[in-house]
Amino acid sequence: MPRTVLDRADAVRALAGVFRRRGFESGSLSVIQQETGIGRGSLYHFFPDGKADMARAVLAQVRAWFDEQVFAPLRTADDAAQAVAAMSQVVEEYFVSRERVCLFAAMTLGEEQETFAREVRAYFADWVGVLAETLRRGGIVESEAADLAVDAVAAIQGGLIMTRALDDDAVFTGIVARTDRRLQAALTRKGMGS
């Protein structure tokens, strides 16, 4: 029996779990209905354009969370080192609590990757850009800040893959901690006039 869905936000949260577990291509409409407990009529009421519409809604919800919890604090921080430490903690907690999957990265796999290319590119470009800007405000020169930001986001994303493969959250927490230490060390060197 289909479950009662109070609003679109409830449906988006349920869909996010399916896409985290199954990816976009393996999440057929029947699988989505079965795993969310949401009936076909409700799904099409909330998402009239079908599964791609569902995935876009999930990505928009994830993006809004990152805008609020990661990007905005980095943009507005006065202390770069504190902002980077806070980013590391929040990102670690987020991904561990969400089955160790980055939905934006998951949408780059499979035949439908071009369907979500704009959203995926914007998410990663914004993360790298705002982190690089924070590092620049912390005294790191532009080219080094850009390299450090790319490496940090890549380490976090790669860490998710390894963590899932090894089924061990400690792998991810270790990667995030080492990434944070590298960024903190670079900020400390610049703060000491190196």
Side-chain angles (χ1 to χ4, degrees), residues 49-95:
D49 293 328
K51 194 167 82 164
D53 195 17
M54 295 174 203
R56 279 198 179 85
V58 168
L59 291 178
Q61 185 257 358
V62 171
R63 175 57 194 248
W65 188 93
F66 267 81
D67 282 341
E68 180 182 315
Q69 300 295 321
V70 179
F71 303 162
L74 285 169
R75 275 188 194 101
T76 59
D78 291 327
D79 184 317
Q82 285 180 356
V84 167
M87 176 202 75
S88 298
Q89 179 181 352
V90 166
V91 165
E92 177 185 324
E93 291 169 359
Y94 176 85
F95 285 121

mmCIF file of all heavy atoms in Angstrom, residues 49-95:
data_model
loop_
_atom_site.group_PDB
_atom_site.id
_atom_site.type_symbol
_atom_site.label_atom_id
_atom_site.label_comp_id
_atom_site.label_asym_id
_atom_site.label_seq_id
_atom_site.Cartn_x
_atom_site.Cartn_y
_atom_site.Cartn_z
ATOM 1 N N ASP A 49 7.427 15.562 -15.002
ATOM 2 C CA ASP A 49 8.321 15.181 -16.098
ATOM 3 C C ASP A 49 9.058 13.873 -15.835
ATOM 4 O O ASP A 49 10.028 13.554 -16.526
ATOM 5 C CB ASP A 49 9.309 16.307 -16.391
ATOM 6 C CG ASP A 49 8.613 17.535 -16.954
ATOM 7 O OD1 ASP A 49 7.592 17.365 -17.653
ATOM 8 O OD2 ASP A 49 9.078 18.658 -16.686
ATOM 9 N N GLY A 50 8.639 13.116 -14.834
ATOM 10 C CA GLY A 50 9.178 11.784 -14.617
ATOM 11 C C GLY A 50 10.470 11.731 -13.822
ATOM 12 O O GLY A 50 10.771 12.610 -13.003
ATOM 13 N N LYS A 51 11.235 10.686 -14.098
ATOM 14 C CA LYS A 51 12.409 10.374 -13.288
ATOM 15 C C LYS A 51 13.487 11.460 -13.354
ATOM 16 O O LYS A 51 14.118 11.771 -12.333
ATOM 17 C CB LYS A 51 12.980 9.021 -13.725
ATOM 18 C CG LYS A 51 13.972 8.457 -12.730
ATOM 19 C CD LYS A 51 14.297 7.007 -13.002
ATOM 20 C CE LYS A 51 15.323 6.876 -14.076
ATOM 21 N NZ LYS A 51 15.952 5.549 -14.123
ATOM 22 N N ALA A 52 13.712 12.058 -14.501
ATOM 23 C CA ALA A 52 14.707 13.130 -14.587
ATOM 24 C C ALA A 52 14.294 14.309 -13.710
ATOM 25 O O ALA A 52 15.135 14.941 -13.059
ATOM 26 C CB ALA A 52 14.914 13.567 -16.027
ATOM 27 N N ASP A 53 13.010 14.598 -13.669
ATOM 28 C CA ASP A 53 12.475 15.652 -12.812
ATOM 29 C C ASP A 53 12.713 15.300 -11.336
ATOM 30 O O ASP A 53 13.076 16.163 -10.521
ATOM 31 C CB ASP A 53 10.981 15.813 -13.110
ATOM 32 C CG ASP A 53 10.381 17.102 -12.568
ATOM 33 O OD1 ASP A 53 11.137 18.039 -12.236
ATOM 34 O OD2 ASP A 53 9.139 17.156 -12.484
ATOM 35 N N MET A 54 12.531 14.030 -11.005
ATOM 36 C CA MET A 54 12.784 13.569 -9.636
ATOM 37 C C MET A 54 14.250 13.772 -9.267
ATOM 38 O O MET A 54 14.569 14.280 -8.181
ATOM 39 C CB MET A 54 12.422 12.087 -9.503
ATOM 40 C CG MET A 54 10.976 11.780 -9.681
ATOM 41 S SD MET A 54 10.705 9.966 -9.689
ATOM 42 C CE MET A 54 9.154 9.895 -10.581
ATOM 43 N N ALA A 55 15.137 13.376 -10.163
ATOM 44 C CA ALA A 55 16.575 13.504 -9.896
ATOM 45 C C ALA A 55 16.980 14.966 -9.775
ATOM 46 O O ALA A 55 17.771 15.324 -8.897
ATOM 47 C CB ALA A 55 17.377 12.809 -10.986
ATOM 48 N N ARG A 56 16.430 15.811 -10.626
ATOM 49 C CA ARG A 56 16.753 17.246 -10.533
ATOM 50 C C ARG A 56 16.287 17.827 -9.194
ATOM 51 O O ARG A 56 16.966 18.662 -8.605
ATOM 52 C CB ARG A 56 16.124 18.008 -11.685
ATOM 53 C CG ARG A 56 16.923 17.918 -12.946
ATOM 54 C CD ARG A 56 16.572 18.991 -13.958
ATOM 55 N NE ARG A 56 17.423 18.799 -15.112
ATOM 56 C CZ ARG A 56 17.151 17.956 -16.104
ATOM 57 N NH1 ARG A 56 16.054 17.237 -16.089
ATOM 58 N NH2 ARG A 56 17.990 17.822 -17.113
ATOM 59 N N ALA A 57 15.140 17.389 -8.729
ATOM 60 C CA ALA A 57 14.639 17.866 -7.432
ATOM 61 C C ALA A 57 15.561 17.419 -6.304
ATOM 62 O O ALA A 57 15.832 18.189 -5.372
ATOM 63 C CB ALA A 57 13.217 17.359 -7.199
ATOM 64 N N VAL A 58 16.043 16.198 -6.381
ATOM 65 C CA VAL A 58 16.978 15.692 -5.370
ATOM 66 C C VAL A 58 18.274 16.495 -5.416
ATOM 67 O O VAL A 58 18.791 16.926 -4.378
ATOM 68 C CB VAL A 58 17.237 14.182 -5.564
ATOM 69 C CG1 VAL A 58 18.402 13.712 -4.718
ATOM 70 C CG2 VAL A 58 15.977 13.392 -5.236
ATOM 71 N N LEU A 59 18.807 16.715 -6.618
ATOM 72 C CA LEU A 59 20.045 17.494 -6.745
ATOM 73 C C LEU A 59 19.845 18.920 -6.237
ATOM 74 O O LEU A 59 20.729 19.474 -5.577
ATOM 75 C CB LEU A 59 20.530 17.506 -8.200
ATOM 76 C CG LEU A 59 21.037 16.174 -8.738
ATOM 77 C CD1 LEU A 59 21.440 16.321 -10.202
ATOM 78 C CD2 LEU A 59 22.191 15.627 -7.917
ATOM 79 N N ALA A 60 18.694 19.503 -6.505
ATOM 80 C CA ALA A 60 18.417 20.860 -6.011
ATOM 81 C C ALA A 60 18.378 20.889 -4.485
ATOM 82 O O ALA A 60 18.878 21.844 -3.862
ATOM 83 C CB ALA A 60 17.103 21.377 -6.597
ATOM 84 N N GLN A 61 17.820 19.844 -3.881
ATOM 85 C CA GLN A 61 17.757 19.780 -2.421
ATOM 86 C C GLN A 61 19.162 19.624 -1.831
ATOM 87 O O GLN A 61 19.521 20.293 -0.861
ATOM 88 C CB GLN A 61 16.852 18.631 -1.983
ATOM 89 C CG GLN A 61 16.614 18.552 -0.509
ATOM 90 C CD GLN A 61 17.437 17.462 0.180
ATOM 91 O OE1 GLN A 61 18.184 16.720 -0.455
ATOM 92 N NE2 GLN A 61 17.306 17.389 1.466
ATOM 93 N N VAL A 62 19.979 18.774 -2.440
ATOM 94 C CA VAL A 62 21.360 18.591 -1.971
ATOM 95 C C VAL A 62 22.136 19.890 -2.157
ATOM 96 O O VAL A 62 22.875 20.331 -1.275
ATOM 97 C CB VAL A 62 22.045 17.415 -2.702
ATOM 98 C CG1 VAL A 62 23.532 17.351 -2.381
ATOM 99 C CG2 VAL A 62 21.363 16.099 -2.348
ATOM 100 N N ARG A 63 21.959 20.508 -3.317
ATOM 101 C CA ARG A 63 22.655 21.763 -3.602
ATOM 102 C C ARG A 63 22.273 22.839 -2.586
ATOM 103 O O ARG A 63 23.126 23.579 -2.094
ATOM 104 C CB ARG A 63 22.337 22.222 -5.022
ATOM 105 C CG ARG A 63 22.917 23.579 -5.401
ATOM 106 C CD ARG A 63 24.437 23.578 -5.224
ATOM 107 N NE ARG A 63 24.952 24.927 -5.267
ATOM 108 C CZ ARG A 63 25.713 25.406 -6.238
ATOM 109 N NH1 ARG A 63 26.043 24.640 -7.261
ATOM 110 N NH2 ARG A 63 26.155 26.630 -6.187
ATOM 111 N N ALA A 64 21.002 22.936 -2.253
ATOM 112 C CA ALA A 64 20.555 23.927 -1.267
ATOM 113 C C ALA A 64 21.223 23.678 0.081
ATOM 114 O O ALA A 64 21.636 24.624 0.771
ATOM 115 C CB ALA A 64 19.034 23.896 -1.134
ATOM 116 N N TRP A 65 21.349 22.404 0.458
ATOM 117 C CA TRP A 65 22.011 22.072 1.721
ATOM 118 C C TRP A 65 23.478 22.520 1.677
ATOM 119 O O TRP A 65 23.968 23.145 2.617
ATOM 120 C CB TRP A 65 21.914 20.572 2.002
ATOM 121 C CG TRP A 65 22.414 20.223 3.359
ATOM 122 C CD1 TRP A 65 21.688 20.118 4.501
ATOM 123 C CD2 TRP A 65 23.781 19.946 3.738
ATOM 124 N NE1 TRP A 65 22.502 19.801 5.560
ATOM 125 C CE2 TRP A 65 23.795 19.690 5.119
ATOM 126 C CE3 TRP A 65 24.977 19.891 3.040
ATOM 127 C CZ2 TRP A 65 24.962 19.385 5.812
ATOM 128 C CZ3 TRP A 65 26.149 19.596 3.731
ATOM 129 C CH2 TRP A 65 26.129 19.337 5.106
ATOM 130 N N PHE A 66 24.168 22.197 0.587
ATOM 131 C CA PHE A 66 25.577 22.596 0.468
ATOM 132 C C PHE A 66 25.716 24.117 0.425
ATOM 133 O O PHE A 66 26.653 24.667 1.013
ATOM 134 C CB PHE A 66 26.236 21.938 -0.746
ATOM 135 C CG PHE A 66 26.907 20.648 -0.406
ATOM 136 C CD1 PHE A 66 26.175 19.481 -0.294
ATOM 137 C CD2 PHE A 66 28.263 20.585 -0.160
ATOM 138 C CE1 PHE A 66 26.777 18.287 0.056
ATOM 139 C CE2 PHE A 66 28.888 19.398 0.184
ATOM 140 C CZ PHE A 66 28.145 18.244 0.298
ATOM 141 N N ASP A 67 24.810 24.801 -0.262
ATOM 142 C CA ASP A 67 24.861 26.265 -0.277
ATOM 143 C C ASP A 67 24.793 26.822 1.140
ATOM 144 O O ASP A 67 25.561 27.711 1.499
ATOM 145 C CB ASP A 67 23.703 26.841 -1.106
ATOM 146 C CG ASP A 67 23.932 26.754 -2.602
ATOM 147 O OD1 ASP A 67 25.097 26.587 -3.042
ATOM 148 O OD2 ASP A 67 22.939 26.845 -3.346
ATOM 149 N N GLU A 68 23.887 26.276 1.925
ATOM 150 C CA GLU A 68 23.677 26.785 3.283
ATOM 151 C C GLU A 68 24.762 26.341 4.263
ATOM 152 O O GLU A 68 25.250 27.136 5.067
ATOM 153 C CB GLU A 68 22.313 26.316 3.789
ATOM 154 C CG GLU A 68 21.992 26.796 5.182
ATOM 155 C CD GLU A 68 20.653 26.275 5.677
ATOM 156 O OE1 GLU A 68 19.670 26.322 4.904
ATOM 157 O OE2 GLU A 68 20.601 25.805 6.835
ATOM 158 N N GLN A 69 25.125 25.079 4.212
ATOM 159 C CA GLN A 69 26.005 24.502 5.238
ATOM 160 C C GLN A 69 27.495 24.539 4.897
ATOM 161 O O GLN A 69 28.329 24.459 5.806
ATOM 162 C CB GLN A 69 25.601 23.049 5.510
ATOM 163 C CG GLN A 69 24.186 22.897 6.009
ATOM 164 C CD GLN A 69 23.983 23.532 7.363
ATOM 165 O OE1 GLN A 69 24.841 23.465 8.237
ATOM 166 N NE2 GLN A 69 22.843 24.180 7.542
ATOM 167 N N VAL A 70 27.838 24.620 3.620
ATOM 168 C CA VAL A 70 29.248 24.565 3.221
ATOM 169 C C VAL A 70 29.669 25.845 2.497
ATOM 170 O O VAL A 70 30.600 26.528 2.916
ATOM 171 C CB VAL A 70 29.528 23.322 2.338
ATOM 172 C CG1 VAL A 70 30.996 23.286 1.894
ATOM 173 C CG2 VAL A 70 29.172 22.041 3.083
ATOM 174 N N PHE A 71 28.990 26.188 1.408
ATOM 175 C CA PHE A 71 29.449 27.296 0.573
ATOM 176 C C PHE A 71 29.279 28.654 1.255
ATOM 177 O O PHE A 71 30.209 29.466 1.254
ATOM 178 C CB PHE A 71 28.733 27.288 -0.781
ATOM 179 C CG PHE A 71 28.897 26.006 -1.567
ATOM 180 C CD1 PHE A 71 28.033 25.721 -2.605
ATOM 181 C CD2 PHE A 71 29.886 25.079 -1.276
ATOM 182 C CE1 PHE A 71 28.158 24.548 -3.345
ATOM 183 C CE2 PHE A 71 30.017 23.902 -1.993
ATOM 184 C CZ PHE A 71 29.151 23.636 -3.031
ATOM 185 N N ALA A 72 28.121 28.936 1.819
ATOM 186 C CA ALA A 72 27.893 30.242 2.464
ATOM 187 C C ALA A 72 28.864 30.468 3.630
ATOM 188 O O ALA A 72 29.450 31.555 3.726
ATOM 189 C CB ALA A 72 26.447 30.388 2.908
ATOM 190 N N PRO A 73 29.064 29.488 4.525
ATOM 191 C CA PRO A 73 30.033 29.724 5.603
ATOM 192 C C PRO A 73 31.453 29.968 5.093
ATOM 193 O O PRO A 73 32.179 30.796 5.659
ATOM 194 C CB PRO A 73 29.962 28.432 6.433
ATOM 195 C CG PRO A 73 28.574 27.919 6.199
ATOM 196 C CD PRO A 73 28.296 28.254 4.757
ATOM 197 N N LEU A 74 31.842 29.281 4.013
ATOM 198 C CA LEU A 74 33.167 29.543 3.449
ATOM 199 C C LEU A 74 33.233 30.959 2.868
ATOM 200 O O LEU A 74 34.222 31.666 3.061
ATOM 201 C CB LEU A 74 33.511 28.520 2.361
ATOM 202 C CG LEU A 74 33.903 27.120 2.831
ATOM 203 C CD1 LEU A 74 33.962 26.154 1.655
ATOM 204 C CD2 LEU A 74 35.228 27.131 3.580
ATOM 205 N N ARG A 75 32.181 31.366 2.177
ATOM 206 C CA ARG A 75 32.164 32.697 1.545
ATOM 207 C C ARG A 75 32.240 33.832 2.562
ATOM 208 O O ARG A 75 32.824 34.881 2.289
ATOM 209 C CB ARG A 75 30.876 32.880 0.739
ATOM 210 C CG ARG A 75 30.918 32.339 -0.627
ATOM 211 C CD ARG A 75 29.676 32.735 -1.434
ATOM 212 N NE ARG A 75 29.634 31.919 -2.612
ATOM 213 C CZ ARG A 75 28.863 30.846 -2.756
ATOM 214 N NH1 ARG A 75 28.043 30.474 -1.794
ATOM 215 N NH2 ARG A 75 28.906 30.143 -3.868
ATOM 216 N N THR A 76 31.632 33.642 3.712
ATOM 217 C CA THR A 76 31.482 34.749 4.658
ATOM 218 C C THR A 76 32.456 34.701 5.829
ATOM 219 O O THR A 76 32.439 35.600 6.667
ATOM 220 C CB THR A 76 30.047 34.773 5.209
ATOM 221 O OG1 THR A 76 29.766 33.531 5.869
ATOM 222 C CG2 THR A 76 29.036 34.997 4.084
ATOM 223 N N ALA A 77 33.289 33.690 5.881
ATOM 224 C CA ALA A 77 34.182 33.517 7.036
ATOM 225 C C ALA A 77 35.269 34.584 7.078
ATOM 226 O O ALA A 77 35.850 34.940 6.060
ATOM 227 C CB ALA A 77 34.822 32.133 6.983
ATOM 228 N N ASP A 78 35.527 35.066 8.275
ATOM 229 C CA ASP A 78 36.647 35.977 8.490
ATOM 230 C C ASP A 78 37.943 35.205 8.729
ATOM 231 O O ASP A 78 39.017 35.687 8.406
ATOM 232 C CB ASP A 78 36.372 36.877 9.704
ATOM 233 C CG ASP A 78 35.243 37.863 9.429
ATOM 234 O OD1 ASP A 78 35.111 38.308 8.275
ATOM 235 O OD2 ASP A 78 34.501 38.165 10.380
ATOM 236 N N ASP A 79 37.828 34.016 9.294
ATOM 237 C CA ASP A 79 38.991 33.188 9.623
ATOM 238 C C ASP A 79 39.008 31.972 8.703
ATOM 239 O O ASP A 79 38.186 31.064 8.843
ATOM 240 C CB ASP A 79 38.905 32.758 11.088
ATOM 241 C CG ASP A 79 40.124 31.981 11.551
ATOM 242 O OD1 ASP A 79 40.612 31.099 10.803
ATOM 243 O OD2 ASP A 79 40.579 32.247 12.679
ATOM 244 N N ALA A 80 39.926 31.958 7.755
ATOM 245 C CA ALA A 80 39.989 30.886 6.758
ATOM 246 C C ALA A 80 40.227 29.521 7.401
ATOM 247 O O ALA A 80 39.604 28.533 7.006
ATOM 248 C CB ALA A 80 41.074 31.178 5.729
ATOM 249 N N ALA A 81 41.106 29.461 8.388
ATOM 250 C CA ALA A 81 41.414 28.176 9.020
ATOM 251 C C ALA A 81 40.186 27.599 9.722
ATOM 252 O O ALA A 81 39.893 26.401 9.603
ATOM 253 C CB ALA A 81 42.569 28.330 10.012
ATOM 254 N N GLN A 82 39.451 28.436 10.427
ATOM 255 C CA GLN A 82 38.229 27.959 11.079
ATOM 256 C C GLN A 82 37.184 27.527 10.049
ATOM 257 O O GLN A 82 36.487 26.539 10.249
ATOM 258 C CB GLN A 82 37.646 29.047 11.984
ATOM 259 C CG GLN A 82 38.405 29.237 13.272
ATOM 260 C CD GLN A 82 37.777 30.336 14.133
ATOM 261 O OE1 GLN A 82 36.835 31.004 13.742
ATOM 262 N NE2 GLN A 82 38.337 30.508 15.331
ATOM 263 N N ALA A 83 37.078 28.272 8.971
ATOM 264 C CA ALA A 83 36.101 27.943 7.929
ATOM 265 C C ALA A 83 36.421 26.598 7.280
ATOM 266 O O ALA A 83 35.524 25.786 7.030
ATOM 267 C CB ALA A 83 36.060 29.045 6.877
ATOM 268 N N VAL A 84 37.691 26.356 7.021
ATOM 269 C CA VAL A 84 38.108 25.083 6.416
ATOM 270 C C VAL A 84 37.849 23.934 7.390
ATOM 271 O O VAL A 84 37.350 22.875 7.000
ATOM 272 C CB VAL A 84 39.583 25.145 5.975
ATOM 273 C CG1 VAL A 84 40.123 23.763 5.636
ATOM 274 C CG2 VAL A 84 39.732 26.085 4.782
ATOM 275 N N ALA A 85 38.158 24.130 8.659
ATOM 276 C CA ALA A 85 37.904 23.087 9.661
ATOM 277 C C ALA A 85 36.413 22.796 9.761
ATOM 278 O O ALA A 85 36.002 21.621 9.836
ATOM 279 C CB ALA A 85 38.460 23.514 11.022
ATOM 280 N N ALA A 86 35.592 23.832 9.747
ATOM 281 C CA ALA A 86 34.140 23.635 9.811
ATOM 282 C C ALA A 86 33.639 22.908 8.569
ATOM 283 O O ALA A 86 32.795 22.004 8.658
ATOM 284 C CB ALA A 86 33.434 24.979 9.963
ATOM 285 N N MET A 87 34.156 23.282 7.385
ATOM 286 C CA MET A 87 33.778 22.593 6.153
ATOM 287 C C MET A 87 34.107 21.105 6.258
ATOM 288 O O MET A 87 33.275 20.254 5.930
ATOM 289 C CB MET A 87 34.510 23.183 4.946
ATOM 290 C CG MET A 87 34.215 22.438 3.646
ATOM 291 S SD MET A 87 35.463 22.647 2.345
ATOM 292 C CE MET A 87 36.805 21.613 2.951
ATOM 293 N N SER A 88 35.291 20.795 6.723
ATOM 294 C CA SER A 88 35.709 19.397 6.832
ATOM 295 C C SER A 88 34.774 18.603 7.736
ATOM 296 O O SER A 88 34.352 17.500 7.391
ATOM 297 C CB SER A 88 37.150 19.315 7.358
ATOM 298 O OG SER A 88 38.034 19.946 6.453
ATOM 299 N N GLN A 89 34.438 19.176 8.868
ATOM 300 C CA GLN A 89 33.566 18.485 9.819
ATOM 301 C C GLN A 89 32.165 18.275 9.240
ATOM 302 O O GLN A 89 31.607 17.178 9.312
ATOM 303 C CB GLN A 89 33.474 19.266 11.123
ATOM 304 C CG GLN A 89 32.559 18.612 12.137
ATOM 305 C CD GLN A 89 32.442 19.409 13.427
ATOM 306 O OE1 GLN A 89 33.149 20.383 13.645
ATOM 307 N NE2 GLN A 89 31.535 18.996 14.282
ATOM 308 N N VAL A 90 31.604 19.320 8.665
ATOM 309 C CA VAL A 90 30.244 19.240 8.128
ATOM 310 C C VAL A 90 30.173 18.259 6.963
ATOM 311 O O VAL A 90 29.242 17.455 6.864
ATOM 312 C CB VAL A 90 29.767 20.656 7.715
ATOM 313 C CG1 VAL A 90 28.521 20.607 6.861
ATOM 314 C CG2 VAL A 90 29.527 21.510 8.947
ATOM 315 N N VAL A 91 31.159 18.308 6.081
ATOM 316 C CA VAL A 91 31.176 17.418 4.922
ATOM 317 C C VAL A 91 31.333 15.965 5.366
ATOM 318 O O VAL A 91 30.650 15.068 4.853
ATOM 319 C CB VAL A 91 32.290 17.849 3.931
ATOM 320 C CG1 VAL A 91 32.592 16.769 2.915
ATOM 321 C CG2 VAL A 91 31.894 19.143 3.238
ATOM 322 N N GLU A 92 32.204 15.730 6.327
ATOM 323 C CA GLU A 92 32.377 14.364 6.836
ATOM 324 C C GLU A 92 31.064 13.836 7.412
ATOM 325 O O GLU A 92 30.620 12.735 7.070
ATOM 326 C CB GLU A 92 33.463 14.334 7.910
ATOM 327 C CG GLU A 92 33.646 12.961 8.533
ATOM 328 C CD GLU A 92 34.630 12.980 9.681
ATOM 329 O OE1 GLU A 92 35.619 13.736 9.628
ATOM 330 O OE2 GLU A 92 34.396 12.212 10.645
ATOM 331 N N GLU A 93 30.441 14.612 8.264
ATOM 332 C CA GLU A 93 29.180 14.186 8.876
ATOM 333 C C GLU A 93 28.092 13.963 7.820
ATOM 334 O O GLU A 93 27.338 12.996 7.889
ATOM 335 C CB GLU A 93 28.712 15.224 9.899
ATOM 336 C CG GLU A 93 29.590 15.273 11.127
ATOM 337 C CD GLU A 93 29.299 16.473 12.029
ATOM 338 O OE1 GLU A 93 28.404 17.292 11.687
ATOM 339 O OE2 GLU A 93 29.973 16.597 13.062
ATOM 340 N N TYR A 94 28.025 14.846 6.848
ATOM 341 C CA TYR A 94 27.006 14.745 5.806
ATOM 342 C C TYR A 94 27.139 13.440 5.021
ATOM 343 O O TYR A 94 26.185 12.679 4.884
ATOM 344 C CB TYR A 94 27.102 15.941 4.852
ATOM 345 C CG TYR A 94 26.143 15.856 3.694
ATOM 346 C CD1 TYR A 94 24.836 16.295 3.823
ATOM 347 C CD2 TYR A 94 26.537 15.319 2.472
ATOM 348 C CE1 TYR A 94 23.934 16.214 2.774
ATOM 349 C CE2 TYR A 94 25.652 15.228 1.413
ATOM 350 C CZ TYR A 94 24.351 15.675 1.573
ATOM 351 O OH TYR A 94 23.471 15.569 0.525
ATOM 352 N N PHE A 95 28.322 13.186 4.506
ATOM 353 C CA PHE A 95 28.476 12.018 3.641
ATOM 354 C C PHE A 95 28.396 10.703 4.408
ATOM 355 O O PHE A 95 27.853 9.723 3.903
ATOM 356 C CB PHE A 95 29.762 12.106 2.819
ATOM 357 C CG PHE A 95 29.667 13.082 1.681
ATOM 358 C CD1 PHE A 95 30.539 14.152 1.584
ATOM 359 C CD2 PHE A 95 28.699 12.937 0.693
ATOM 360 C CE1 PHE A 95 30.459 15.052 0.533
ATOM 361 C CE2 PHE A 95 28.606 13.826 -0.363
ATOM 362 C CZ PHE A 95 29.491 14.892 -0.438
#
